[in-house]
């Protein structure tokens, strides 16, 4: 599906995403604004990347994901590359998002 999306015009991607949001989320969150723009990468079709996820080589320092996960001032980082155990997985991406949400909730404590 990602490769197919890479071939669509940006206006079509925006229309399709807006339709999906309207059909699935808007009924339960009526005030949810629709997106106003999109950015589609072409990593899936790029012969040098063929998609994208983190990869730790044997020479990568083992604490690299933890270093990537450290906040930079008020900028927080989530994504599978920042998960110390489940890097390179969707599960790691989801958990890292939850980690950063928890960090925001507890920010002032």
């Amino acid at each position: 599906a990602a490769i197919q999306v890479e071939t669509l015009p940006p206006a079509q991607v925006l229309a399709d995403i807006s339709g999906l949001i309207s059909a699935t989320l808007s009924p339960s969150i009526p005030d949810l604004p629709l997106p106003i723009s999109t950015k589609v990468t072409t990593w899936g079709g790029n012969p040098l990347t063929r998609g994208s996820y983190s990869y730790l080589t044997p020479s990568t320092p083992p604490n690299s994901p933890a270093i990537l996960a450290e906040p930079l001032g008020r900028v927080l980082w989530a994504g599978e590359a920042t998960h110390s155990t489940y890097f390179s997985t969707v599960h790691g991406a989801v958990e890292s998002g939850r980690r950063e949400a928890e960090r925001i909730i507890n920010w002032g404590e």
Side-chain angles (χ1 to χ4, degrees):
I3 301 275
Q4 181 182 0
V5 170
E6 289 181 8
T7 67
L8 298 174
Q12 181 66 51
V13 174
L14 182 60
D16 291 349
I17 289 172
S18 295
L20 182 62
I21 290 171
S22 292
T24 59
L25 297 175
S26 294
S28 58
I29 311 170
D31 294 333
L32 182 68
L34 293 175
I36 57 172
S37 66
T38 61
K39 171 68 176 157
V40 177
T41 68
T42 56
W43 292 344
N46 184 320
L48 299 176
T49 59
R50 302 234 189 258
S52 178
Y53 59 89
S54 64
Y55 172 73
L56 302 181
T57 68
S59 62
T60 303
N63 64 337
S64 293
I67 292 170
L68 290 172
E70 292 178 9
L72 183 61
R74 293 179 49 187
V75 177
L76 305 179
W77 306 100
E80 48 80 24
T82 70
H83 197 289
S84 60
T85 307
Y86 297 113
F87 51 86
S88 300
T89 68
V90 171
H91 183 72
V94 170
E95 280 195 2
S96 71
R98 290 181 177 140
R99 178 194 67 223
E100 296 311 314
E102 190 70 29
R103 194 185 313 254
I104 291 168
I105 290 168
N106 297 317
W107 194 270
E109 295 178 3

